[in-house]
Structure formats: C-alpha cells, structure tokens
C-alpha cells in the first residue's frame, strides 16, 4: 500500500463541532478534543474516505490561492500525521 | 472571550447507587447519607446551561448511571445540544438492546471498567459477581461499533496482570485502554494499605504499558496514569480548580471535583437554586482556589505552579488537614512525609494481602 493510494477518513468516533466561544472548530473524541485552525478544519472536512492525499492538496490549492501547493502538501501531511498518531484516522484504499 | 476559566467537560454523577462495592470508589464515604437525586428535567436544564458556558464533553457517570431508567432521555437531550457524550459504567446492569438504544439516541462512546483478567479476583475486588457480564458489555459495545474505553483502576492486587489486561483490551477491540493507578482519596484512602503498590511494581507496569503504547499506536490508545505517591510532583488535579471541569453530584451540588464537598468550610451551591453560570463564575467555593493569590509557599514562587496549580486540594485536606496547603504528594511540601511513610509501608507489606473495606451503603434514589 503506498501513501498515494490512501484515502483518509476520520475515525467514526470523531465529531467536528463549531465552537461559538472561539469561532474555531473542535475535533471531539472520548475524553478530549483538538482545537483546529481554519486550514486544519478544511483538511479534516476532506477526510471522507473518498479523496486521496493528492486530491486533497488539489482541492485546497484551489481554495487557498495565497499558499503554494508545496506548502499545502506539507500542511496536509503534518495534520494527517497528528490525526493518525492519535488514532483518529482510518485509511481506506 | 477569556478562556482561562472555561469548563470543557461536565461530569454528571447521575446517582451514587451502584451494584458493586469497589474498595477504591471515588464517591464520598458518606454517599448513602446524601439527599435525593435530581430528576431528568433538572439534568436537561443543567446540560443546557453547561453548554452555554462552553462545555462540549459530557461524562455520564455515578455510582452506576445505568441504574437511572431515564438515562435514555438524558442521552437524547445531550445529543440535541451537540455534546460529546461518554457513558462511564461498570457495565451492570445492561443488555445489548439497551446499549443499542442508547447508541441510536446519540451516545458517542462508552467506558467500561474491569477489575482483573481473572474472574475470581475481579469479582472479589468488585465485591459482587460481575466479570462475565462486563466482558459481555464490552463485546456488545464493539459489535455495535461504539468506541470503547476499557478502564482499569490499578493497585497492588492487579498491577502484576498488566500484560493480560492489555491483551484483554485488545481482544475486545477496545479503542482506548486506561490504566489508571488508584487515586488515594475517599474509599481508596481508607483502603490505602491494601491497595498501594510498591515502586518496583509501578516501574514494571509503566515499562510494559509504554511498550504497548508504542506497539499499538494508531489502533488502540494506551494511557498509563502513574500514582502521584510515586511521582514527587502532584497531579494538576482536574487541570486546576474550577478551570476545565464541572462536577454535578446526584443531589445537584455543583463542584470543581468529585470530592470537593468533603472539604469543610467551603460553600457550594445546588443547580436547583442558582444558574450554573452564576455558580461557576461567582460561587465562593469555585473561586476559593482559582488563580494565584491563594497559593501557599513554596508554590507561590515555584515554576511548576503553572503546570500543577499546587496539586489536589482534597488530598491536601485529607492528608494534611488544610486544603490551602501544597499537595503532600509534592516532595517540596511540608507534609510530604505522610507519602513517604505510605510508600515504606507498601514495601514492608509487599506480598502480604490486606483486607479491603468494601464500599457499602445504599445511596438514595429520587423514586
Ligand atoms: S468504583 Fe465501583 S463501586 Fe464505585 S461507582 Fe464505580 S463500579 Fe460502583
Ligand atoms: S511546590 Fe507547589 S507548585 Fe511547586 S511542584 Fe510542589 S505543589 Fe507544585
């Protein structure tokens, strides 16, 4: 299985929720949660099990015109790493 | 908006009643003498007020929350508020039908405790036959695809089973395993001589848990909580007094932690008498140990105060007689010798079984 073929999907235990108090999104799971910035929220939303990492980068490059594809790719890898480390991802191929 | 004192989690202690009798139960010693349980409507209002205050996580606990036959109503109400709802249970009494119904109503995750991997030991520690029913409950959770946390309270009678406990959690496909050493308060403090492991036992368990954590990364989260009797620094109890957590007890008393009402001289208020946000922001009990002004020496000038807030107030009171002292678990605290002598006693009595004093008493219901 190569990384290019992985289609990340959020673990079903995770819930994304808007936080009125901070105007940011929270990724909630048992006992705790992560506060996401806008980029992380956008990436989390793309973790539906349908898109490959390349698809995600393409999609975000369209949305965030001021960031280069290289920067976006790095951000995606980094955030997916954070999620995977915490067991918050399921990789469908 | 200021997030320094923002509660993220509401711990709803729905009842002090429980079919088990664990000798380390975190309920107060006099739980049976407390008033009547608040009803579902009051709880739903509390959930609503908590959510407005910033709460996003809800722990439904007890005692045994399954003994409330209005639990379904509460789970449904919590989901409407978009709270992440965890059921913290012994798994008894439960059927797969009820668990499935709770899931359908919006339950997000379930935490089931187990006392040992050996039936006879487990049933003896729980003070009631329960082992098989707990395993059933864990399997139902997994087959219903409800994220499952297996929780084990570690002490000298089960800490040597650490490998088997990890294997059991893997076998039921748990999503998380909480290996939490006993907190020596309440019933556990009463039973400390029978429960406190030796440093050697702790070190061994910690090593095994760390290996499992690395091996299972990404599939099962393994959490090992070292007892503060062996860390030389206190825990940041509840992440700071009145900072991240609200506990509401069965009779509706709003508290900064499970046992705050066992500290004499503090005034806490009932959710039936005042709005939760008023209690949170303005009650004397919640404000008593907030911020830095109350800090004693040597915490006042210690760098670690931003990490541990001077430790646990209940432990300070129950071990030193003064809730305003540094937590004796700290090696710099004046009362630290009580921790040292408990450790010495644990070494001296290693391998010698000490009898438990089981949690007893009925606890009152609303009905
Ligand atoms: S610790 Fe044991 S006795 Fe106490 S509430 Fe939990 S299951 Fe019941
Ligand atoms: S002196 Fe106070 S702040 Fe410093 S480690 Fe000990 S309890 Fe914590």
């Amino acid at each position: 299985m190569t990384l290019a073929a992985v289609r990340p999907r959020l673990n079903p235990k995770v819930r994304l929720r808007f936080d009125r108090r901070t105007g940011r999104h929270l990724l909630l799971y048992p006992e705790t949660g992560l506060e996401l910035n806008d980029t992380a929220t956008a990436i989390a939303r793309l973790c539906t099990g349908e898109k490959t990492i390349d698809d995600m980068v393409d999609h975000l490059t369209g949305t965030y015109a001021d960031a280069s594809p290289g920067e976006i790719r790095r951000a995606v890898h980094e955030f997916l790493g954070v999620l995977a480390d915490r067991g918050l991802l399921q990789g469908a191929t | 908006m200021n997030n320094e004192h923002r509660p993220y989690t509401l711990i709803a202690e729905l009842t002090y009643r429980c079919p088990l009798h664990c000798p380390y139960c975190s309920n107060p010693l006099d739980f049976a003498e407390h008033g009547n349980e608040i009803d579902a409507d009051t709880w739903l209002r509390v959930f609503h007020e908590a959510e407005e205050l910033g709460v996003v996580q809800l722990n439904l606990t007890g005692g045994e929350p399954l003994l409330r036959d209005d639990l379904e109503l509460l789970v449904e109400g919590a989901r409407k508020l978009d709270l992440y709802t965890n059921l913290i249970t012994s798994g008894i009494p439960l059927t797969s039908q009820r668990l499935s119904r709770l899931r359908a109503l919006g339950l997000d995750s379930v935490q089931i405790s187990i006392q040992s991997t050996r039936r006879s030991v487990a049933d003896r520690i729980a003070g009631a036959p329960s082992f098989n029913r707990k395993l059933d409950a864990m399997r139902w959770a997994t087959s219903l695809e409800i994220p499952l946390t297996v929780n084990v309270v570690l002490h000298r009678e089960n800490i040597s089973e650490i490998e088997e406990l990890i294997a059991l959690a893997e076998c039921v496909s748990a999503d998380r395993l909480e290996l939490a050493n006993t907190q020596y308060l309440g019933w556990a403090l009463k039973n400390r001589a029978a429960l406190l492991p030796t440093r050697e036992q702790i070190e061994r368990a910690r090593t095994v848990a760390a290996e499992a954590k690395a091996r299972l990364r990404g599939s099962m989260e393994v959490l090992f909580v070292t007892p503060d009797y062996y860390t030389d620094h206190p825990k940041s109890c509840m992440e700071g007094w009145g900072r991240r957590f609200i506990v509401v007890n069965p009779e509706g008393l709003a508290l900064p932690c499970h046992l705050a009402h066992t500290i004499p001289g503090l005034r806490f208020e009932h959710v039936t008498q005042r709005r939760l946000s008023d209690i949170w922001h303005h009650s004397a009990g919640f404000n008593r140990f907030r911020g830095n002004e109350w800090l004693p020496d040597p915490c006042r000038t210690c760098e670690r105060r931003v990490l541990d807030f001077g430790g646990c107030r209940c432990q300070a009171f129950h071990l030193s007689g003064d809730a305003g002292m540094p937590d004796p678990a700290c090696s710099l605290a004046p009362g630290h010798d009580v921790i040292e002598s408990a450790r010495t006693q644990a070494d001296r009595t290693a391998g010698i079984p000490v009898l438990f004093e089981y949690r007893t008493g009925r606890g009152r219901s609303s009905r």
Side-chain angles (χ1 to χ4, degrees):
Chain A
M1 185 170 94
T2 66
L3 201 56
V6 174
R7 296 170 195 270
R9 180 195 310 150
L10 287 179
N11 186 315
K13 74 178 173 183
V14 170
R15 279 201 7 229
L16 191 65
R17 170 196 166 130
F18 182 69
D19 183 15
R20 291 194 302 279
R21 312 246 321 182
T22 56
R24 291 186 156 190
H25 280 78
L26 297 170
L27 209 55
L28 299 176
Y29 50 103
E31 296 289 316
T32 179
L34 286 174
E35 188 177 288
L36 307 184
N37 60 23
D38 290 349
T39 325
T41 306
I43 300 170
R45 287 219 167 95
L46 295 175
C47 295
T48 56
E50 283 142 20
K51 292 186 165 54
T52 63
I53 294 177
D54 282 345
D55 296 340
M56 293 168 79
V57 173
D58 284 349
H59 184 100
L60 292 168
T61 311
T63 324
Y64 293 91
D66 47 345
S68 75
E71 282 165 342
I72 288 180
R73 180 171 297 277
R74 224 171 305 123
V76 170
H77 275 268
E78 198 181 304
F79 183 58
L80 292 180
V82 168
L83 295 179
D85 260 359
R86 289 171 170 72
L88 303 180
L89 275 191
Q90 297 180 328
T93 48
Chain B
M1 201 174 286
N2 175 13
N3 260 18
E4 172 56 22
H5 296 286
R6 164 185 173 174
Y8 281 87
T9 303
L10 172 67
I11 299 177
E13 294 183 329
L14 300 181
T15 179
Y16 282 145
R17 291 173 291 143
C18 183
L20 305 188
H21 310 279
C22 307
Y24 45 72
C25 183
S26 62
N27 289 165
L29 294 173
D30 64 350
F31 72 92
E33 269 93 70
H34 283 256
N36 288 339
E37 293 173 7
I38 53 176
D39 62 14
D41 283 343
T42 309
W43 277 117
L44 291 172
R45 181 172 54 74
V46 169
F47 295 172
H48 182 76
E49 291 176 2
E51 199 275 339
E52 281 181 341
L53 260 177
V55 163
V56 290
Q57 292 266 358
L58 172 65
N59 289 356
L60 298 171
T61 180
E64 178 45 68
L66 291 168
L67 292 180
R68 294 273 310 217
D69 46 26
D70 47 13
L71 184 61
E72 280 79 353
L73 268 175
L74 302 184
V75 168
E76 192 179 19
R79 171 44 74 101
K80 285 201 188 112
L81 295 165
D82 209 9
L83 297 172
Y84 195 97
T85 307
N86 310 285
L87 178 67
I88 297 177
T89 174
S90 71
I92 295 166
L94 187 59
T95 59
S96 72
Q97 288 78 5
R98 188 171 194 207
L99 190 57
S100 157
R101 197 159 65 229
L102 290 168
R103 176 62 161 175
L105 290 170
L107 182 66
D108 287 295
S109 84
V110 61
Q111 170 176 320
I112 301 176
S113 57
I114 192 127
Q115 281 75 5
S116 163
T117 54
R118 293 170 206 148
R119 180 154 53 100
S120 57
V121 179
D123 290 352
R124 190 172 64 79
I125 297 170
S130 49
F131 181 76
N132 290 347
R133 296 172 75 185
K134 284 169 175 287
L135 285 190
D136 284 345
M138 289 178 190
R139 295 200 186 99
W140 295 331
T142 313
S143 64
L144 290 165
E145 293 179 19
I146 309 176
L148 167 68
T149 296
V150 171
N151 166 278
V152 190
V153 175
L154 292 177
H155 47 78
R156 63 197 286 175
E157 297 233 5
N158 64 4
I159 196 164
S160 61
E161 290 179 40
I162 195 95
E163 289 91 346
E164 290 99 318
L165 288 163
I166 294 164
L168 182 144
E170 282 183 79
C171 173
V172 297
S173 308
D175 175 72
R176 279 175 85 233
L177 170 62
E178 242 180 51
L179 298 162
N181 271 281
T182 309
Q183 288 276 18
Y184 293 95
L185 288 167
W187 292 88
L189 182 54
K190 216 175 165 64
N191 282 297
R192 189 176 62 192
L195 295 170
L196 187 67
T198 63
R199 185 182 294 276
E200 225 184 308
Q201 287 180 306
I202 301 278
E203 289 307 330
R204 185 184 161 275
R206 201 208 331 245
T207 311
V208 174
E211 282 163 15
K213 183 184 171 119
R215 176 171 61 83
L216 296 165
R217 187 177 301 279
S219 63
M220 181 169 93
E221 187 191 340
V222 179
L223 195 86
F224 182 85
V225 186
T226 310
D228 49 8
Y229 275 57
Y230 287 101
T231 51
D232 286 339
H233 293 301
K235 287 201 162 35
S236 83
C237 190
M238 306 307 279
E239 296 173 36
W241 184 271
R243 205 169 149 266
R244 294 290 177 251
F245 290 87
I246 307 180
V247 178
V248 174
N249 88 351
E251 54 183 308
L253 204 55
L255 301 165
C257 83
H258 301 87
L259 292 169
H261 50 324
T262 64
I263 301 175
L266 293 185
R267 210 165 53 78
F268 293 109
E269 291 165 87
H270 283 85
V271 293
T272 45
Q273 280 154 15
R274 206 174 173 191
R275 288 173 53 85
L276 196 60
S277 62
D278 285 338
I279 298 179
W280 174 260
H281 291 296
H282 305 300
S283 86
F286 271 93
N287 281 319
R288 176 65 183 83
F289 297 114
R290 273 183 175 145
N292 287 324
E293 293 78 57
W294 70 273
L295 280 174
D297 287 324
C299 304
R300 194 177 283 282
T301 51
C302 175
E303 288 175 2
R304 290 187 58 91
R305 67 181 186 278
V306 293
L307 302 174
D308 65 31
F309 310 95
C312 172
R313 295 303 91 224
C314 300
Q315 185 149 279
F317 171 72
H318 288 286
L319 296 187
S320 78
D322 180 352
M325 292 286 279
D327 184 338
C330 177
S331 56
L332 304 172
H336 188 59
D337 53 311
V338 298
I339 300 285
E340 285 168 351
S341 60
R343 293 197 297 229
T344 311
Q345 190 192 14
D347 271 333
R348 225 179 24 235
T349 57
I352 307 171
V354 185
L355 287 182
F356 292 141
E357 190 163 333
Y358 286 105
R359 172 196 139 129
T360 47
R362 264 184 47 76
R364 269 200 260 175
S365 87
S366 55
R367 284 137 292 172

